[in-house]
Amino acid sequence: MGETLGDRIGLSGEVINAAASLAMEAHDSTREPFRLDKPRGLSVAVVAFAGSWLPGDWCAEPPFGETNIDAGTFPSLKSLGDDGVALVNGSFLRRFNAILGQSSLAEKVKKIAGKNQVVFTGYSSGAPMAILATLYFLEKPEPNQSPPRCVTFGSPLVGDRIFGHAVRREKWSDHFIHFVMRYDVIPRIMLGPSSTEHKQILDFFNPRSESFRQPIDSSSGFYSSVMRNASLVANYDACNLMGCRIPALETLRTFIELSPYRPFGTYIFCTGNGKLVVVRNPNAVLQILFYCAQWTQEEAAEVAKGSLYEHLAYKDEIKESLGMQNVVYLDRLEELPVSSDGSPATVNAALNDLGLSPQARLCLQAAGELEKRKSRNQDKIINDYKQKIEGELRKMTKYKEKAETSGLGYYDSFKLQEKEDDFLANVSRLVLAGFWDEMMEMLKGHELPDDFEKRLDFIELGTAYRRTVEPLDIANFYRHAKDEETGFYVKKGTRPKRYRYIQNWLEHAEKKPSGSRSESCFWAEVEDLRIKTRSNGFSPEIKQKVQQLEKNLIKWIGDESLGKDVLLENSTFVKWWKGLRPEYRSEPDVSKLIGG
Amino acid sequence: MNQVPLFSSGRELGNLIVASNIVECAWTRILELQRDQTALPCPVRHFEVYNPSPTCTIVAFVSSPGQGDLVPSPLFDFLRTEEYKSVSINRAALTLFTSLHDSLSELKTQLTEIEGQLIITGHSLGGSVASLFTLWLLDGNSLKPKCRPFCITFGSPLIGDFGLQHSIWNSLFLHVVSNQDPVPGLFLPSGRSPPTSSHSQTTGYKPFGTYLLCSELGCACFDYPDLILGLLKVISSEVAGGSQDVDYGGILRNLKERAICKGLPQVGERFADPFSAGIIMELETIGFNQTKLLQHNIDINTVIRKMEAEARNLTQQNKASDAKKLNEIKRDMTQLELYKKNSKVLNMGYYDCFKNQGSKRDIHVEQFRVNLTGYWEGMVAQVQRKPHKEGATFRTRWLYAGMVYRRMVEPLDIAAFYKDCTKKDYINNGRSLHYKLLQQWYEEDVKPTPGDKLDSKKQKVSGILTEDSCFWAHVEEAILSCELLKSENCTLEQGKSSWDNLVKFEEYVMEQIGKYAVSPEIFLEKSSFMKWWGLYEGYIDTRSNSHSSPLITFMKNCHYTEYR
């Protein structure tokens, strides 16, 4: 007996079946927003959510109804670069927040689960509730309890690319299993804007609608509409996966409106003949969502009808498929056969069962190659750049120590640029900037694995780099009086990405608020206040800033995130602070620090 | 080492284009205009402006094709590049464009006011005029930054002998061509060219932009000019003339349906590498199978290899490697900064140190000069491949870095030039083109310092690089003039011109000093400038007619000791 699907994904067939039953039941419940159950004989607690067929609960604001996720509830779902917070479907988020606010979800879950693992589940629009609930509990892990899991059936898409990126960065991706039937229309519906076709589809499912289970007029119309929108997103993403350089693409992008939503987590496609195809690469999932639902003109009516009825068939289909254990994992996408009689035979048969054309298979290969390229980039950084960065940093540390013994500190020494050592430090600074800038551009271009920014070794190395070298960038900035051209150093567009991003990494890893780890900008604050306190007048605003600086100084010297060179007798800081008018200075501890 | 596999996404982009409504939307306006034309016999309107929504403007052109010969056109000279040194345009397109010139000028003024989408479209010769009009709008950057132009033509003949491969403008042109439409390849030599046009006048046509080629079965995008030329030729020679009215509306509707249908089995899938497989399948989709390619002598393997080489070249250029290179170059600049600093200690300045080549470090610095020059010559060449006046030549970051480079490194080139005693007149005989262009672009971009900023310039003068990177060439010429004046076999005429040079030089230097635009290092004891002053002072003291100037006063009274 080989490895079962349950072994691979860490959820047994029994649990999945139990989840499917409860999810379908809970979906139609009008009284309670979720149901909890502890299936007999299983060591899990299942929580399933109700759904809704009201168009307003799917997309309240056309065209796509996306909104910023709220950072308070979901602090991890954001980019650590410049791309901001994740976008989610606003209607789903609102419904989830209502559940969270009104029904003491957290307490009830804790009570029923005890020490058992919790499996959140949902069917159709109940699924997004399960996804958000899982994320909510992943964001605040309970000690002594294994992290929650999520299983969905026929789920619509919930979040955008950053949403998926953040989930993968946090290594939560494996917690989410999405079952999708080959032609089911619902998992594709959010790839298009809110439309009359969407309403037709939801009305078909809605028991309170007049058109409930009535054949939709021009049955193929709604399906072509959904598929056309899916094709826009899939083709656009495919162009990018394939590194398309055809010039019109760029211009076209500004002329078409694309859905922001993208799949994330592990998808399990039910081919319809009992086979299950497991795909984890999010780009590949999107391509399959489009290509496996393509039709031929002859089968149009049948496929359109199937796209509705398949959404109703999850419970039985899954039970049957899990029993057969005919599972294919599409893992090494770049090696997939392009031709419909290629090898390996099992993989090829699965691709045929999903009806994937050679064009589709090339798209999947491209999705696989992209991931491969990302890990190659990471390997280059780990095996080559890391060592070189450490070497340069050692030189910098020596420079710093040497400058300190001469009584001036490396910030001021570098600013003066009088000795050969200062020049050599400048060369090192640029060598280091070269490595880090390249890495930051890779991150910006999504050319590194999603979890790169969570690697402890690089957070550490980056922080050491930032604390040691950023003062020199600041010295260089004020040496060339660049503030006269561009303004204060500490703002976006002036302060280099390599420092801003690395600071984000650390703050995120330590779960500290944004901006709390700005110790490497200490010198910029000093320079800025030096300029501002040159004039004779007194300003309470400046006094407040000086106080903040003093407080930070004491804190950062205390936790050793700021170098003691700041306190050397001849440093720019000490000279400025001593010459400061008394009404600005308030912190007696600072004089103690300087004195001692 | 195994190379990273590449992919070709011509079909994906093609399907994306037909599934979006933009092409259909353009075609609808063309139909509308054609209908109006037949309804109102005169005067014939060749173009019309539509506003389907507040954020979208469509300009549509219609006309039938005419003669195929190319004529030079000064109006489109701005399209010249290093590769395409002159620009010729199809006579018929140019004639129609010129006849509409007045009303189009008016339209141009109108369009410079709009924001949002601007689609410029046309059918057949109307499409050629649409392309010309779009290029004309792009020239000089008169559109608002928020206005997004896109030119979409249907079945339009080629319009000229220029290319836009290295220009961002290339992305703004989309040409839709049916494999049943002979018009686009009409003027190509082996196509069915009208008998009147002579062969030599028609061989120069070059496609530009993106081509969306369509068949019954599907569509695909192409941007490789040689391949496009080949395909258009074949289409033109295969389709009997006369079938002028290709129904692009019907074609687009069919393709839109096709884009969500399962594809047919294809031959391309047998190819081992995804790039070749992709292109073979793209060609099959538009009705060019292997047999047909062979029949028409299109050596597809060679074409694919060339396309692949070009694609590989492009994938290596990205922001990550750009950032890395710029930092490497800054590092070399730092080495020069150090060299400059250490030279100052020798009381000579880095210009004269380098000229004397007295020590190891002077030889060492040569390597950095070579690196820097190589990098900047490459950067300048990249810009030169674009049409003139495309707008911003460089990103600001590079414009400034290029300025610092020129001020720092060009003196070393000058030093090397004058070290060879037989050489004269660096500015006309020795100056490299890339310095001239870097200077020109910088000066076009930067406004001169206003007078009230002089004070802050004065404060910083000790650290600056001399602003005129040719300063030392002027000094060398002045030394040569002095030497000539002092020599015994100096003719009267030579004497006069040398003297004129020196007077001009004095004025020039004084002006630079007044603007705080020269580095105080020129006054270092052993610098060439001081050498000149020694020679010159000696000469004017022995001269019979007395001569005075602000510079002489400045130098004699040692005012330069306060210039720092």
Side-chain angles (χ1 to χ4, degrees), chain A residues 247 251 295 417 430 437-438, chain B residues 9 171 262 324 327 334 341:
Chain A
T251 310
W295 58 13
Q417 285 286 321
L430 289 164
D437 279 352
E438 190 186 352
Chain B
S9 48
S171 66
K262 258 178 226 155
K324 196 177 168 190
N327 274 310
T334 312
K341 183 120 193 161

Side-chain angles (χ1 to χ4, degrees), chain A residues 395-585:
Chain A
K395 283 194 215 163
M396 281 292 196
T397 313
K398 267 195 203 128
Y399 169 67
K400 190 177 169 193
E401 282 163 2
K402 202 169 156 192
E404 262 163 61
T405 51
S406 78
L408 191 57
Y410 78 137
Y411 175 81
D412 286 291
S413 176
F414 190 85
K415 207 172 149 194
L416 289 173
Q417 285 286 321
E418 277 183 338
K419 298 195 224 68
E420 177 138 10
D421 279 350
D422 304 323
F423 274 100
L424 294 176
N426 202 10
V427 173
S428 280
R429 177 181 73 89
L430 289 164
V431 172
L432 285 162
F435 288 122
W436 290 100
D437 279 352
E438 190 186 352
M439 279 150 67
M440 298 306 124
E441 289 297 340
M442 281 181 187
L443 283 172
K444 249 192 116 167
H446 312 289
E447 290 280 339
L448 283 173
D450 291 295
D451 56 4
F452 182 79
E453 296 148 292
K454 278 281 265 195
R455 288 182 62 102
L456 285 179
D457 54 348
F458 270 83
I459 295 176
E460 222 168 89
L461 186 64
T463 304
Y465 163 65
R466 181 167 67 87
R467 287 179 183 163
T468 315
V469 185
E470 189 167 14
L472 301 187
D473 275 75
I474 297 168
N476 205 47
F477 184 84
Y478 286 96
R479 174 166 81 100
H480 292 302
K482 287 192 189 163
D483 55 315
E484 285 179 21
E485 291 156 33
T486 58
F488 188 34
Y489 171 86
V490 190
K491 65 169 201 231
K492 205 169 136 182
T494 302
R495 186 179 180 210
K497 282 200 264 302
R498 53 181 186 270
Y499 299 124
R500 283 189 291 119
Y501 288 12
I502 295 172
Q503 185 181 328
N504 286 348
W505 301 355
L506 182 70
E507 284 165 357
H508 179 67
E510 293 183 340
K511 303 197 172 179
K512 291 261 170 61
S514 174
S516 60
R517 280 307 201 166
S518 60
E519 67 275 352
S520 56
C521 289
F522 178 80
W523 282 110
E525 303 282 353
V526 172
E527 294 283 0
D528 190 50
L529 283 174
R530 250 183 76 195
I531 295 164
K532 285 189 178 138
T533 50
R534 257 182 217 153
S535 58
N536 288 326
F538 175 83
S539 131
E541 190 199 347
I542 290 176
K543 182 175 168 72
Q544 207 186 349
K545 282 193 171 164
V546 175
Q547 278 177 329
Q548 185 59 47
L549 184 83
E550 289 169 333
K551 259 189 224 147
N552 286 341
L553 173 77
I554 289 160
K555 185 171 80 193
W556 290 334
I557 290 285
D559 68 12
E560 293 185 351
S561 58
L562 188 64
K564 285 227 165 76
D565 55 294
V566 172
L567 305 171
L568 289 170
E569 197 182 342
N570 287 321
S571 88
T572 299
F573 168 72
V574 171
K575 282 201 284 191
W576 163 74
W577 194 80
K578 282 187 173 163
L580 206 56
R581 46 198 295 170
E583 55 266 52
Y584 275 140
R585 293 194 313 216

Side-chain angles (χ1 to χ4, degrees), chain B residues 364-488:
Chain B
H364 187 59
V365 82
E366 176 68 10
Q367 186 52 47
F368 303 117
R369 180 174 78 109
V370 170
N371 290 351
L372 284 159
T373 305
Y375 174 79
W376 283 104
E377 280 176 348
M379 291 300 288
V380 169
Q382 263 184 40
V383 175
Q384 273 195 290
R385 268 183 264 145
K386 298 174 184 171
H388 295 235
K389 298 205 280 177
E390 186 178 273
T393 42
F394 265 145
R395 281 160 65 184
T396 321
R397 211 171 155 196
W398 270 269
L399 203 64
Y400 270 85
M403 177 270 283
V404 177
Y405 154 74
R406 178 171 56 83
R407 289 178 180 172
M408 180 68 105
V409 181
E410 191 168 8
L412 302 183
D413 284 52
I414 298 172
F417 182 86
Y418 285 101
K419 199 170 154 54
D420 178 349
C421 296
T422 59
K423 286 186 178 168
K424 274 183 191 172
D425 195 2
Y426 167 83
I427 292 177
N428 292 311
N429 302 328
R431 194 171 193 210
S432 155
L433 179 67
H434 80 289
Y435 287 129
K436 289 182 202 164
L437 291 171
L438 283 173
Q439 180 173 353
Q440 186 189 327
W441 296 335
Y442 177 74
E443 283 168 1
E444 281 165 5
D445 196 73
V446 179
K447 290 162 210 76
T449 319
D452 58 335
K453 281 267 182 165
L454 269 186
D455 222 34
S456 87
K457 269 185 95 174
K458 185 180 169 181
Q459 307 241 321
K460 284 179 224 151
V461 78
S462 71
I464 67 157
L465 289 162
T466 300
E467 283 178 13
D468 181 359
S469 56
C470 287
F471 176 82
W472 290 105
H474 295 298
V475 174
E476 293 288 355
E477 291 298 324
I479 292 175
L480 290 175
S481 295
C482 278
E483 281 170 350
L484 191 64
L485 273 178
K486 285 188 168 183
S487 80
E488 285 163 8

